[in-house]
Amino acid sequence: MHRMTHPASFFKPGPFDALLGAADQALRTLWATPHARRPMPVPDSAAVSLDDAQRREAAALMRVNHVGEVCAQALYSAQTLATRQTGLQAHLQAAAAEETDHLAWTEARIHALGGRKSWLNPLWYAGAFALAYATAKIGGERVSLGFVVETERQVEAHLHSHLARLPVGDTASIAVVKAMAHDEAQHAREAQRAGAAELPEPLKRLMALSGRVMTTVAHRV
């Protein structure tokens, strides 16, 4: 007797399926409510009441951090789409799952502080997606990993700068930013161990300039 193979076992996702997956990821990042797999980080100490100015500044900083996580989703989605290496795809998808936690945490803090997300999130997502996809397609797997390393290094430095700017009484936001910085450093180390190439200085400068524009504008808009 011949064993009957289920028709689904013959199915292999093609380029169109990958495009649909990338589109779904963009829609969920920009318009759906993210759900964290891990609980919100616990503050080291009790929160102190914030005045209106402190609350507005904390909300603006967390909006900037939320934009960074929107861009991170775009980065990992673009690079997953650009590569056919299953090992790299798994690496990128695992990191993206942790970035979804960050997306949910920062959105929760924005709401708790009475703030709002950036109105330009679709623009930030599109820009990050385009840059990451082009880098991965042109440079290949090692350059793609190098892009992850450099991005995470810049994001970690940016998060540490926010720890100095957040009101000391906003212990909940501080706990979130500390946990995010720890994860970003881990992502960079993992990409480095996976064989990341050092990026050329012009690309690093372009990434840094893009980051400065994003953080400056997102703080206000």
Side-chain angles (χ1 to χ4, degrees):
M1 177 182 293
H2 294 289
R3 294 178 62 186
M4 181 175 292
T5 304
H6 194 280
S9 65
F10 290 106
F11 176 76
K12 291 184 179 180
F16 184 68
D17 301 289
L19 284 172
L20 286 177
D24 177 68
Q25 179 64 39
L27 292 173
R28 285 188 287 112
T29 298
L30 294 171
W31 287 288
T33 299
H35 297 285
R37 299 181 308 170
R38 295 174 291 171
M40 183 85 78
V42 178
D44 295 330
S45 58
V48 176
S49 179
L50 305 177
D51 61 31
D52 288 343
Q54 290 174 321
R55 190 174 294 105
R56 284 195 299 271
E57 176 62 8
L61 292 172
M62 295 310 290
R63 177 167 61 247
V64 172
N65 294 331
H66 181 268
V67 168
E69 297 310 317
V70 168
C71 292
Q73 291 297 321
L75 182 157
Y76 287 115
S77 178
Q79 292 189 312
T80 300
L81 179 64
T83 184
R84 292 293 176 263
Q85 300 289 334
T86 55
L88 178 56
Q89 287 177 340
H91 174 92
L92 295 168
Q93 288 165 354
E98 289 195 346
E99 300 290 356
T100 302
D101 291 346
H102 300 175
L103 194 70
W105 296 343
T106 52
E107 184 168 321
R109 287 307 303 151
I110 289 170
H111 291 325
L113 291 162
R116 57 166 176 77
K117 296 183 290 186
S118 174
W119 293 325
L120 300 178
N121 274 342
L123 177 63
W124 305 131
Y125 190 100
F129 189 98
L131 182 57
Y133 186 83
T135 301
K137 273 299 186 185
I138 294 170
E141 182 176 352
R142 293 186 67 243
V143 171
S144 183
L145 287 166
F147 191 89
V148 171
V149 171
E150 184 61 26
T151 299
E152 300 293 23
R153 284 174 177 169
Q154 292 187 15
V155 171
E156 184 188 4
H158 150 81
L159 291 171
H160 282 298
S161 75
H162 277 198
L163 289 174
R165 296 174 62 188
L166 281 166
V168 293
D170 187 8
T171 55
S173 293
I174 290 171
V176 166
V177 172
K178 284 182 176 178
M180 289 168 60
H182 175 272
D183 287 347
E184 308 301 2
Q186 182 64 25
H187 295 165
R189 287 192 295 269
E190 289 171 352
Q192 195 76 60
R193 287 195 296 265
E198 188 73 16
L199 296 187
E201 283 302 319
L203 180 54
K204 288 183 180 181
R205 288 195 291 269
L206 175 61
M207 293 169 67
L209 176 61
S210 300
R212 285 195 295 272
V213 171
M214 181 272 286
T215 55
T216 301
V217 175
H219 191 272
R220 302 176 184 277
V221 181

